[in-house]
Amino acid sequence: MDEATAKRLLGLFVSEAEENLAALNPLAVRFQDPTQLDAIEEFCGTAHSFKGAAAAVGLPDMVWVVHRLEALAFRLRHTDGEARAELYRRLRRVLELLETSIAVLGAGSSEPGPEHAALRGLLADIEPDVLLAQAVEPRTAAPSAAASQEAAEERLSVPATEVDEALRLAASVTRLAAAQELDGGRLERRTAQELATLSQRLESVLFNLRMLPAAQALTGLDAEVRALAERLGKDVRVEMADHQVRADRRTLQTGRTMLRHLVRNALDHGFETPAERASAGKASQGTLKVALHMADASLWVTVEDDGGGFDVGAIRGALASRTAEPERISALSDSEVLVEFAAQGGSTRAQATDISGRGVGLSTVVAMARAKGGDLKLRSERGKGSTVSFTLPLEVYATEVLTVSCGSRRLGIPTSAIESTVTLGQGGLTPQRGPAGPILAFDERIIHLRPLGQLLGGAGGSTRFAVIVRAEQREVALGVDELGEATRVVPHALPPFASADTLVTGVALLSDGRQVHVLNPRHLVSLVRQEGVARLEEPVGAAALVEAKPAPAPAAEKRPGRRLSVLLAEDSLATREVLRVLLEREGFDVRVAGDGQEAQVRIAERLPDVLVSDFNMPVCDGPMLARAVRSHPESARLPVILLTSRDDARSRAEGAAAGADAYLIKSQFNAQLLRQTLRKLGVEG
Amino acid sequence: MKRLRPKSISVVPGAQERLRAAARALETEAVVEEAPQLMVQFGLGGTAYAVELSAIDRAITQFGEVIPLPGAPASIRGTAFLDGVPHVVADLLEAAGHPRRALDVLERSPALVVHREGVPLAIAVEGPLELTEVAVSGVSAATSRNGVGVAAKLPNGALLLATDWLRQFIAGVA
């Protein structure tokens, strides 16, 4: 690493370490009170970030100190009386000395100062690894109110030059405003124009302090990876893709911290050494892919490695034993098992390391994502590698919204979550009746439609337009009276006592002085789908697209067990959507395909538990699909059920000859019949 | 929008306690000499009420735009921007047992502004809104009315809100 890069990385580390210490100090103060020890998890998560950053820039002394600082905090939990008070005093002193040490580094020294001798003395008797058992205990404590308050007061690091520019502009605006006040309150046209220009520039400067190219989260990452890989005796190259995303500064700062945890975990636990890779028949150099993109009003960060992957079987066993819920754990998919294990701070390693710890890193990422309203997904294949994705919502701080009206309500929907807007009625799309309420057939998709005003507890209004909103990879159409303009707003957060259910993420003022409530796309989608399920429990009228069979037991009474995945191949959009809804309602995990060719692609992506296919389809019909499935070794044993409207011997014979396992009549088909058939075929959920 | 800005007026703390003492003294025909206290007087369903100036942040003569907040508890009528800052809006008239007012009526109502969890809460009342000086010696005892906690009756007949009751009302807006 060249000197300039090393210096730049050290500068980044100092800035981040200052923020870490600013977070650690108030948490440490809380340890005085023995009832506040739940903050230890949060303390260690932050210390862990600190430690990882120190490791990344090659400060082994600092790593040594912070590694033991974590252990010291864990030890507080298991001591009391004077011993605890002594540990607490020591912890505060360590933090004080660390502040000095960081200040020394920030002043230009490339090495920690003499205070490190004092730190080593203070921490000499702290042995980190004996605390492994405590570190991997399940994390169940909810963030305290005090922690939430601290989060709300999170600091932003911004360039001083931009703040200076904002101050100059604000001073100019104030001067003009004062001058016009002295002038008797008359605002001359020229002054008004000058005020408007200055205000816009001020807004732009302040907005840019918040919104930055997401690529900044990746700055220096490649150099960090190379340095860490070298230390670990591994050979890893990095591929990065940022897709020109812009995000607010705080989300990016959080994302960067989470990203580093994942990268360190991948380097330390995921990638094999070149020799191990060679013996496994892999290229000696590993590849780490990091991608940022924006979807569903969130920043998505994906870290993919081609290392050894997780031992899901071992993890499933450990989780079953730890939770004492073997039945529930056995019903989880591999991905769900990995996420639950990660969330609990679990590790299958016996020894913590100073690079990525003992599973705390991954659990920190899960906790951070969820605390911000995002989520984490994890996929892994033994021997082939792992992919971790996390999301962070963007709309909380600064966002562009489309304003819409429903009756007297005026609302804002983040444009990043809007797929499209359509006109309803004459000259536009006509809503139709589906089994779970009104639907829109739009762009080869069937989308649930609900009047937004009604959904929010008011009147339905005239719903002249529909806004198609996408979140959590699902779409809904929201009927509105009027469409307004797309405009950029910085919403004010609402207090929990006023918006406990997160339906409204904030309230903002529009340029005309009117206020608008900014809605949470995820919550809207969830509301529509909940209402859809509720409607499915009601008797279905004559106009329904299919005849619904007697309702099954309520969801709460459904038997426990693994969700069976169904691939449904059906060329009729309406039938496909109706069957999908009916099967999902019965607890099946349903994917769909429009014909036999698409079904083969879906099967190649992921093998379902059962294929349910229409008999007659264009391009590749049911029997052809069944033959294709049987011809591939991976899918040769996949149960195939053919659906047809014809109940005749010839069709049955043709289906059987193609390799189908069962043959069901569409008019009789329902989820219960599918379960019965699967049971007969030996497929149990 | 006209606003009453009481921030510049200094207030003697503990006025309510002294008013209560004065009311008790009156019941025993004792006379207490005290400096006059500043009160904000308002209406609720045709009855005049007052609140100690020190118990609120400020009072406003009318809201401007109030819009309903989706998903909010029933006791929250919506939000309003005052001086560029969003305020959660509740209605004291409704808490006093009167029917719910339409939003356009609420928008023209005066309000008392307080804070809850660091967020400004505007409590709609009825007019006329007045800032008055009250001689402590002139108060008399009074009982709570229509569920509204009352500490004393002022010489002009207005009922003084009990600070504890107001605190409970604020905490219960959810």
Side-chain angles (χ1 to χ4, degrees):
Chain A
M1 189 187 305
D2 63 78
E3 195 180 334
T5 305
K7 199 170 173 184
R8 185 168 56 83
L9 290 178
L10 192 64
L12 286 173
F13 167 73
V14 167
S15 170
E16 195 170 298
E18 284 170 350
E19 293 194 1
N20 285 326
L21 284 167
L24 290 172
N25 274 310
L27 289 170
V29 170
R30 287 162 57 188
F31 300 160
Q32 265 182 308
D33 177 358
T35 65
Q36 295 278 307
L37 292 180
D38 57 334
I40 284 176
E41 300 283 347
E42 198 180 336
F43 183 93
C44 287
T46 305
H48 193 73
S49 304
F50 192 164
K51 181 178 68 179
V57 294
L59 295 173
D61 284 350
M62 192 73 76
V63 173
W64 187 93
V65 168
V66 184
H67 199 39
R68 277 151 185 80
L69 174 65
E70 275 185 82
L72 180 56
F74 271 119
R75 193 172 284 188
L76 280 172
R77 183 182 278 169
H78 299 278
T79 51
D80 50 23
E82 182 49 35
R84 202 176 156 280
E86 189 277 323
L87 280 180
Y88 173 73
R89 283 192 295 271
R90 223 185 321 171
L91 184 116
R92 296 302 304 273
R93 181 68 185 138
V94 168
L95 287 172
E96 278 174 26
L97 289 168
L98 266 175
E99 273 185 32
T100 309
S101 183
I102 295 301
V104 169
L105 278 176
S109 169
S110 58
E111 292 295 328
E115 66 286 345
H116 259 260
L119 283 167
R120 282 198 167 265
L122 279 170
L123 296 165
D125 64 332
I126 302 294
E127 182 52 55
D129 294 321
V130 297
L131 297 151
L132 177 63
Q134 290 95 316
V136 297
E137 276 174 7
R139 296 155 59 97
T140 52
S144 62
S148 305
Q149 180 69 17
E150 279 155 22
E153 291 167 4
E154 192 178 351
R155 299 183 316 157
L156 289 174
S157 302
V158 296
T161 50
E162 289 182 37
V163 175
D164 289 346
E165 173 67 5
L167 283 171
R168 273 194 294 275
L169 289 165
S172 301
V173 170
T174 309
R175 177 181 53 76
L176 278 174
Q180 77 95 19
E181 179 89 7
L182 287 173
D183 204 22
R186 284 185 298 109
L187 197 61
E188 285 182 10
R189 186 182 178 81
R190 201 167 50 113
T191 312
Q193 282 174 343
E194 196 178 346
L195 261 178
T197 307
L198 283 169
S199 304
Q200 278 173 5
R201 280 176 55 199
L202 179 59
E203 188 192 3
S204 171
V205 168
L206 292 174
F207 191 76
N208 281 330
L209 289 176
R210 278 287 195 191
M211 300 300 279
L212 297 169
Q216 289 202 6
L218 305 175
T219 307
L221 191 68
D222 49 350
E224 286 180 26
V225 169
R226 278 197 301 275
L228 269 183
E230 199 178 312
R231 277 188 59 200
L232 293 163
K234 296 178 179 179
D235 185 6
V236 176
R237 71 187 173 94
V238 190
E239 289 180 11
M240 294 190 280
D242 66 64
H243 300 286
Q244 304 296 310
V245 174
R246 284 177 77 85
D248 62 272
R249 187 178 289 271
R250 188 151 52 183
T251 300
L252 281 183
Q253 282 184 352
T254 308
R256 183 180 170 82
T257 303
M258 295 162 73
L259 182 55
R260 284 175 124 164
H261 280 298
L262 295 182
V263 167
R264 283 196 299 272
N265 270 327
L267 284 167
D268 197 15
H269 303 302
F271 286 106
E272 313 92 331
T273 61
E276 288 167 341
R277 291 179 67 87
S279 66
K282 293 165 130 179
S284 62
Q285 187 180 51
T287 304
L288 181 74
K289 292 180 183 172
V290 179
L292 304 177
H293 72 281
M294 199 161 85
D296 297 354
S298 294
L299 175 70
W300 287 65
V301 179
T302 303
V303 177
E304 183 181 350
D305 70 71
D306 64 351
F310 288 87
D311 185 346
V312 183
I315 288 175
R316 191 183 287 275
L319 199 57
S321 152
R322 178 183 299 172
T323 59
E325 296 176 286
E327 283 185 11
R328 183 179 69 82
I329 300 302
S330 71
L332 298 178
S333 68
D334 286 353
S335 180
E336 288 166 337
V337 163
L338 289 172
V339 171
E340 180 156 344
F341 194 70
Q344 293 193 3
S347 172
T348 52
R349 285 180 76 129
Q351 181 83 9
T353 75
D354 62 8
I355 303 292
S356 61
R358 42 205 158 218
V360 175
L362 203 49
S363 71
T364 301
V365 176
V366 177
M368 288 174 84
R370 290 179 178 169
K372 297 279 182 186
D375 203 3
L376 178 135
K377 289 185 166 52
L378 223 167
R379 281 189 292 116
S380 184
E381 194 171 346
R382 193 69 174 151
K384 291 191 176 173
S386 307
T387 303
V388 189
S389 301
F390 66 81
T391 60
L392 291 172
L394 291 172
E395 70 274 17
V396 178
Y397 312 114
T399 190
E400 186 182 70
V401 297
L402 174 69
T403 57
V404 298
S405 301
C406 313
S408 61
R409 290 171 188 264
R410 190 168 45 259
L411 302 149
I413 303 172
T415 52
S416 55
I418 296 176
E419 284 277 297
S420 184
T421 56
V422 294
T423 307
L424 299 178
Q426 274 191 334
L429 288 176
T430 305
Q432 294 166 15
R433 170 105 193 264
I439 54 169
L440 272 187
F442 172 73
D443 197 16
E444 285 302 304
R445 305 191 300 275
I446 287 186
I447 303 171
H448 296 282
L449 169 70
R450 294 292 177 277
L452 180 57
Q454 216 172 61
L455 201 64
L456 303 179
S462 56
T463 58
R464 294 172 53 216
F465 303 93
V467 181
I468 296 173
V469 173
R470 184 175 179 84
E472 302 290 353
Q473 295 165 329
R474 295 192 184 281
E475 288 174 319
V476 297
L478 304 168
V480 299
D481 301 356
E482 298 292 340
L483 295 177
E485 57 177 357
T487 183
R488 200 177 62 188
V489 294
V490 179
H492 297 254
L494 287 162
F497 72 83
S499 58
D501 64 1
T502 74
L503 174 60
V504 176
T505 55
V507 56
L509 266 188
L510 298 173
S511 56
D512 61 3
R514 297 180 308 160
Q515 50 175 328
V516 65
H517 287 133
V518 179
L519 297 171
N520 179 349
R522 283 185 194 77
H523 201 110
L524 288 172
V525 170
S526 163
L527 268 181
V528 172
R529 297 191 64 80
Q530 280 169 17
E531 193 183 301
V533 170
R535 281 172 184 240
L536 275 172
E537 300 298 334
E538 297 168 2
V540 178
L545 296 177
V546 295
E547 183 191 357
K549 292 293 172 187
E557 293 174 21
K558 278 178 190 166
R559 58 194 176 158
R562 188 170 65 88
R563 290 182 75 193
L564 285 173
S565 62
V566 176
L567 178 63
L568 178 64
E570 167 62 67
D571 63 324
S572 158
L573 187 61
T575 307
R576 192 165 72 221
E577 183 60 13
V578 168
L579 292 178
R580 185 183 65 76
V581 169
L582 291 174
L583 291 174
E584 282 186 345
R585 172 188 169 203
E586 265 292 89
F588 289 95
D589 178 10
V590 183
R591 288 184 300 152
V592 293
D595 59 40
Q597 277 188 346
E598 192 188 342
Q600 289 175 55
V601 174
R602 300 282 164 264
I603 290 168
E605 286 172 353
R606 178 160 53 91
L607 198 63
D609 289 312
V610 60
L611 167 66
V612 176
S613 173
D614 188 15
F615 195 101
N616 294 306
M617 291 186 291
V619 187
C620 172
D621 65 13
M624 284 170 70
L625 174 60
R627 276 193 289 276
V629 164
R630 294 284 171 257
S631 67
H632 282 91
E634 292 86 354
S635 58
R637 299 180 63 185
L638 173 67
V640 177
I641 297 173
L642 290 181
L643 286 180
T644 182
S645 48
R646 292 175 300 174
D647 184 13
D648 60 74
R650 187 174 161 194
S651 297
R652 282 173 185 272
E654 191 181 349
D661 297 288
Y663 187 90
L664 301 176
I665 310 301
K666 268 188 189 171
S667 60
Q668 296 168 354
F669 180 80
N670 59 32
Q672 291 94 325
L673 183 60
L674 178 61
R675 275 200 195 283
Q676 287 168 16
T677 309
L678 288 174
R679 223 168 281 136
K680 286 178 189 169
L681 296 174
V683 182
E684 290 282 351
Chain B
M1 189 184 305
K2 291 178 187 172
R3 295 201 181 93
L4 194 61
R5 293 181 180 276
K7 280 289 183 190
S8 59
I9 301 166
S10 63
V11 178
V12 181
Q16 187 141 117
E17 286 66 30
R18 281 195 295 282
L19 286 166
R20 282 209 178 96
R24 282 196 297 274
L26 276 173
E27 285 178 325
T28 57
E29 297 185 353
V31 178
V32 179
E33 288 296 330
E34 281 278 0
Q37 299 299 317
L38 283 167
M39 306 278 168
V40 175
Q41 195 170 310
F42 56 91
L44 276 183
T47 303
Y49 283 82
V51 63
E52 273 179 59
L53 191 54
S54 60
I56 63 172
D57 293 348
R58 63 173 176 156
I60 58 166
T61 53
Q62 63 177 32
F63 278 102
E65 185 189 48
V66 177
I67 62 170
L69 178 61
S75 58
I76 291 174
R77 295 300 315 272
T79 56
F81 267 83
L82 302 170
D83 289 342
V85 177
H87 289 53
V88 174
V89 178
D91 190 1
L92 197 59
L93 187 66
E94 198 176 333
H98 294 272
R100 171 164 280 219
R101 292 185 274 181
L103 279 182
D104 58 341
V105 176
L106 203 68
E107 287 174 344
R108 295 191 297 275
S109 303
L112 312 173
V113 178
V114 296
H115 266 77
R116 178 175 167 196
E117 296 175 18
V119 176
L121 175 67
I123 303 170
V125 291
E126 284 185 314
L129 192 69
E130 291 176 43
L131 184 64
T132 60
E133 280 194 339
V134 176
V136 175
S137 57
V139 303
S140 56
T143 53
S144 297
R145 182 181 292 197
N146 297 331
V148 177
V150 173
K153 188 172 186 179
L154 302 184
N156 64 359
L159 301 174
L160 178 66
L161 278 192
T163 315
D164 290 347
W165 182 85
L166 183 62
R167 232 177 265 133
Q168 280 174 15
F169 172 78
I170 294 166
V173 174

